[in-house]
Amino acid sequence: MIDISTIRDQFPGITRDVVYLDNAATTQMHRSAIEAMEGYWRQGRANVGRGLYPLAESAMKQYESARTTIAEVVGADASQCVFTKSVTEGLNTLAFGLRSRIGSGDEILISPFEHHANILPWRRIAKERGATVRVMPMMENFELDFAGAQAMINERTKIVAVTLVSNVLGAVLPIAKLAHFAHQAGATLIVDAAQAVAHIPVSMRSLGVDAIVFGAHKMYGPTGIGALVMAPELIESLEPMILGGGMVDLVTDETTTWREGIQKFEGGSPNVEAAIGWAAAAEALPLLTKEGPGEVSLRSQLVSGLVSIPGVTVFNPPNAIGIVAFSIDGLHPHDVADFLGAEGICVRAGNHCAAPLVQRLSENGVLRASLGVYNDEQDVDRLLEALPRVTAQLR
Amino acid sequence: MSIGYQTLLALAKSTKHQGELPNASAHGFATNASCGDECDVWVRIEDDTILDVSFVAKGCVISRAAAAILAERVRDRIEVIGTMNGDDMRGLLGADISLLRERCLTTALKALQNAVSSL
């Protein structure tokens, strides 16, 4: 039997006073991330790619070392890894850069599980270019209708932009299979791995994707930093979205040239401390995942407990990881979440920035409990014990 | 909260002022996209003063209770409506509603403000 306290003790934000089940929104920070960031601040910080003194060199080395670590999370090379401020920025950068490849009548294909961050940039680009955003079908069991999705991929499809794991349902999408058909049609395949990287192994090469985005704060690192990892062809050909210091090679009164490689995508002073903290968290994560109580069994406990509560509907796709969406007959999810919060139980309620999906599940949004490496059976039990009590209070 | 949840729940369940107002001077609608709250408000106005308010609200307890108290209590001159905010709604409800529920708290107010500004 694993002593969960050895894991929980590594997260200063985790105590028994609070049941933190909102890990799909953000995770608590691992102590190694906090210590790494504090260490960077205490030793004296410097901007990167600018100063020529030892402090700047030290910062540069730590920042680039972090890039190597984060690229390895998805089995990629540091030369493919752009630091962004968020997953959203990564997806917007891709949409901006790929817009020149999209023409009138073209199609951008997304899944029915997308976060707004992987819907809205494509809608804007489609509108500008006279293209169409099409949504793949979903089956009644909340799984992707793969045959339907495959049938939608054709010679007009220029982009296939899909999440690896649904932020609402936890459903894992068959990315490798989608990539095969997308590439056959000549389309670029983009994957939002924000909800995946802290939970399942992710290999850009095995999945066969052209670009993948993910962020630090959903994998026990700090907020304010994400990664956009791209195939070399995209790094070479895409125009950068953010222009300014750090990304230019030559600027004269008349001309501007970008730096080569990933550097052209990192305009402005980067979030050095967040990169350092993120790398520390990423290095700690494999051991935590290995030694933890196991997301599969906790999810199973959560789902079976929820379905046994009268009035609870669980939206439970067959191939899902530690995110569970549910609703309670006659009760608004915000009221339930508010009352659970008063009992120290943190879940999320609403549309989860995935309104098109959630509107298909429930009229007023859904409740969501999402697991992290520090959660255990006791956390799940406390939610399951509180729900009937809260429900009775609200009726 | 300074008043209990049961008081808010009773307000939210109240049928008073519900439905379309006959002879309304204006109608307004607002939604809280984050959780799907929706509110239609009808208002009767004479000499720039609100005489009556009715509503149809769909959503959480706080959004429906806020609509009910607004319909019951607001009889101000219309220029006051535009200046009202979440804190005014807290005052009307007598409840210390969390900032996290600000949009739930103000959906009905926005519908009323939309109605008044449509005139």
Side-chain angles (χ1 to χ4, degrees):
Chain A
M1 184 74 179
I2 297 150
D3 181 6
I4 189 72
S5 66
T6 61
I7 290 178
R8 294 174 68 91
D9 288 348
Q10 297 175 49
F11 294 87
I14 289 293
T15 69
R16 283 294 177 199
D17 295 334
V18 169
V19 175
Y20 191 76
L21 292 169
D22 197 16
N23 294 285
T26 200
T27 53
Q28 297 301 320
M29 271 175 72
H30 190 262
R31 72 178 175 210
S32 67
I34 297 168
E35 287 164 3
M37 292 171 77
E38 190 179 353
Y40 168 71
W41 288 323
R42 287 189 182 281
Q43 76 183 18
R45 66 177 186 172
N47 210 335
V48 295
R50 283 128 169 112
L52 298 173
Y53 40 85
L55 207 55
E57 187 182 7
S58 170
M60 190 75 178
K61 280 181 178 169
Q62 291 179 75
Y63 183 66
E64 292 306 325
S65 170
R67 192 192 304 279
T68 300
T69 302
I70 297 309
E72 284 170 357
V73 169
V74 293
D77 186 80
S79 64
Q80 299 173 261
C81 179
V82 177
F83 281 129
T84 60
K85 78 168 186 186
S86 60
V87 170
T88 298
E89 185 181 288
L91 290 165
N92 275 272
T93 299
L94 286 166
F96 180 87
L98 287 163
R99 74 197 188 291
S100 60
R101 298 187 186 187
I102 298 168
S104 179
D106 284 344
E107 294 176 357
I108 299 165
L109 197 54
I110 63 174
S111 89
F113 304 101
E114 299 310 317
H115 188 284
H116 296 163
N118 205 23
I119 302 173
L120 306 184
W122 305 115
R123 281 189 183 173
R124 179 165 64 183
I125 296 301
K127 191 177 177 188
E128 283 175 10
R129 309 294 291 184
T132 307
V133 175
R134 299 183 72 198
V135 183
M136 301 169 193
M138 182 172 73
M139 297 201 287
E140 282 187 6
N141 66 352
F142 314 114
E143 219 176 354
L144 180 74
D145 177 351
F146 183 77
Q150 184 190 336
M152 292 173 79
I153 300 174
N154 58 52
E155 71 282 358
R156 293 186 301 279
T157 310
K158 292 294 179 285
I159 311 276
V160 178
V162 284
T163 189
L164 177 48
V165 173
S166 163
N167 74 311
V168 178
L169 298 167
V172 181
L173 273 69
I175 299 297
K177 284 163 66 183
L178 283 171
H180 173 74
F181 291 105
H183 289 151
Q184 267 192 343
T188 302
L189 189 96
I190 289 161
V191 167
D192 172 357
Q195 298 292 347
V197 284
H199 302 271
I200 55 175
V202 178
S203 164
M204 200 175 166
R205 192 172 293 114
S206 300
L207 293 173
V209 305
D210 299 298
I212 193 163
V213 290
F214 54 104
H217 73 106
K218 290 182 181 13
M219 51 185 296
Y220 313 104
T223 52
I225 191 163
L228 160 59
V229 184
M230 290 181 278
E233 182 271 323
L234 289 182
I235 295 168
E236 184 72 26
S237 60
L238 294 197
E239 192 181 339
M241 181 175 72
I242 296 171
L243 311 182
M247 54 75 66
V248 287
D249 184 32
L250 178 71
V251 183
T252 68
D253 285 343
E254 287 86 25
T255 61
T256 312
T257 55
W258 319 136
R259 291 179 69 182
E260 291 191 346
I262 55 172
Q263 308 299 335
K264 71 176 174 184
F265 297 102
E266 292 188 4
S269 295
N271 194 343
V272 182
E273 53 264 56
I276 292 167
W278 186 10
E283 282 167 355
L285 184 57
L287 195 59
L288 293 166
T289 309
K290 189 179 166 195
E291 293 187 342
E295 208 171 279
V296 173
S297 64
L298 278 186
R299 189 181 194 283
S300 176
Q301 180 196 352
L302 180 55
V303 170
S304 58
L306 285 170
V307 296
S308 70
I309 300 172
V312 171
T313 300
V314 182
F315 307 98
N316 186 29
N319 181 24
I321 61 170
I323 298 172
V324 179
F326 60 101
S327 64
I328 303 175
D329 290 349
L331 296 183
H332 195 287
H334 275 194
D335 295 326
V336 178
D338 207 348
F339 268 53
L340 288 171
E343 295 207 14
I345 299 168
C346 309
V347 297
R348 177 144 177 221
N351 284 324
H352 310 280
C353 299
L357 170 63
V358 173
Q359 283 160 8
R360 295 171 68 176
L361 306 177
S362 179
E363 193 180 13
N364 288 321
V366 295
L367 289 145
R368 180 187 72 184
S370 50
L371 302 164
V373 290
Y374 31 66
N375 291 125
D376 63 357
E377 294 85 350
Q378 191 177 328
D379 289 335
V380 174
D381 282 342
R382 279 184 60 185
L383 171 63
L384 296 174
E385 286 160 14
L387 270 174
R389 189 168 58 247
V390 162
T391 301
Q393 286 174 321
L394 282 164
R395 291 203 190 280
Chain B
M1 292 179 194
S2 43
I3 65 167
Y5 184 81
Q6 292 307 321
T7 309
L8 286 175
L9 191 58
L11 261 175
K13 287 181 173 176
S14 162
T15 55
K16 208 174 169 188
H17 303 293
Q18 292 247 19
E20 190 169 345
L21 189 67
N23 306 318
S25 315
H27 164 258
F29 174 76
T31 182
N32 168 12
S34 70
C35 63
D37 296 337
E38 290 179 3
C39 190
D40 282 279
V41 164
W42 291 266
V43 58
R44 190 156 63 84
I45 297 167
E46 278 182 23
D47 299 329
D48 289 341
T49 301
I50 290 175
L51 299 182
D52 205 355
V53 178
S54 75
F55 69 96
V56 172
K58 187 192 84 175
C60 67
V61 167
I62 290 172
S63 70
R64 288 183 287 131
I69 202 74
L70 204 60
E72 176 69 24
R73 300 275 295 277
V74 171
R75 297 293 180 269
D76 297 298
R77 288 185 62 76
I78 56 173
E79 60 265 29
V80 175
I81 302 303
T83 66
M84 288 178 68
N85 57 26
D87 285 340
D88 295 309
M89 294 305 300
R90 288 183 181 85
L92 285 174
L93 282 168
D96 184 20
I97 306 289
S98 161
L99 274 174
L100 299 174
R101 307 295 296 272
E102 189 77 5
R103 287 193 280 184
C104 310
L105 183 65
T106 55
T107 302
L109 174 61
K110 282 179 185 159
L112 178 61
Q113 288 170 335
N114 289 340
V116 169
S117 63
S118 73
L119 289 169

